[in-house]
Amino acid sequence: TGALRVAEEIRAAVAQQPFTTTAGRIPVTVSIGVSGWQPGETPQLVETLMQQGDQALYTSKAHGRNRVTLASVYDRARSSIRD
């Protein structure tokens, strides 16, 4: 998705720019969770999208950090059933 591509560009850009301090360079990374919907899917409430993105973020952190995780289709389907 477009959001996934943008998130990966942000992750890569941050990883390439360590902070420079008086003690030296400090590497910095980010983990990002992405959620959204595709054409043909039922649009989700903003709160639902935020929850899905948050869960994807925790998945990124649990799998080593410095990565982008897209909320799974299963998560989106399960959320639309609850909403």
Side-chain angles (χ1 to χ4, degrees):
T1 69
L4 187 62
R5 180 181 47 76
V6 170
E8 178 56 31
E9 290 173 1
I10 292 168
R11 186 211 57 78
V14 169
Q16 292 176 8
Q17 297 295 322
F19 283 111
T20 302
T21 70
T22 55
R25 298 178 83 174
I26 301 172
V28 179
T29 62
V30 296
S31 295
I32 302 172
V34 177
S35 181
W37 69 88
Q38 298 293 319
E41 290 182 336
T42 303
Q44 302 295 313
L45 297 172
V46 171
E47 293 84 6
T48 300
L49 292 171
M50 294 296 289
Q51 290 170 350
Q52 292 168 351
D54 193 46
Q55 184 58 49
L57 170 62
Y58 285 107
T59 299
S60 285
K61 290 180 176 184
H63 289 94
R65 303 185 182 206
N66 192 30
R67 62 182 61 225
V68 175
T69 301
L70 177 64
S72 72
V73 173
Y74 173 76
D75 291 337
R76 294 197 314 260
R78 191 176 62 205
S79 292
S80 65
I81 291 168
R82 285 184 278 150
D83 290 341

